[in-house]
Amino acid sequence: MNVYCKGVMKQMDLAVDSIIKLIDTLSEENLRSKPTEEKWSIGELLSHMAVLCKADILIGAGASEEELDLFYTDAEPEMNKMAITEALVQNYSYLKEGIASLKEEEVLRETTSFFGVAHSRYEWLLDTQAHLFHHRGQLHSMIVHVLKREPNVQLFE
């Protein structure tokens, strides 16, 4: 793995670890909590977070819309903390192994997503990192502002 990808993965390791710690602060009942009627519940947000690492690497690899829809159908975890945590760890491992297996020229090669965006695999990795951090911030805010408690989980080094 090249030095740039190693740095991104180090930060993503921290993000996944902190997401698991945030999940640990929740009860199963908290998963049904919905801050805004038209938006995701905490559990729905976590289910999305649990699969996004693999989904994003599939997008970066050129998966079709149909392939991605099938992935989401098959990969969505049950709505409980253990299943969500297991899916998060498995899908993050898939991303990590996939990035580690790429040669530098493959990391720099551009691919075009089914929705028309062209990026290098490295840029897709940065998008995945931003995506994960974005939703982690949403989760933290839901815990603080909806559940009215401070989770005391370190989000950054």
Side-chain angles (χ1 to χ4, degrees), residues 90-122:
Q90 287 171 354
N91 290 312
Y92 178 58
S93 292
Y94 182 89
L95 168 84
K96 208 170 177 177
E97 290 166 15
I99 293 299
S101 72
L102 297 175
K103 293 178 174 65
E104 188 156 344
E105 60 270 9
E106 293 171 308
V107 171
L108 298 175
R109 184 179 309 129
E110 268 195 10
T111 60
T112 302
S113 68
F114 68 85
F115 47 88
V117 175
H119 285 316
S120 69
R121 296 296 292 276
Y122 181 69

Side-chain angles (χ1 to χ4, degrees), residues 3-31:
V3 67
Y4 304 107
C5 291
K6 280 183 187 177
V8 173
M9 297 313 300
K10 180 181 175 189
Q11 294 304 309
M12 290 185 69
D13 287 344
L14 174 68
V16 170
D17 182 59
S18 62
I19 291 165
I20 292 168
K21 288 176 181 171
L22 288 168
I23 292 169
D24 288 343
T25 72
L26 299 169
S27 69
E28 295 294 337
E29 184 178 307
N30 291 151
L31 299 181

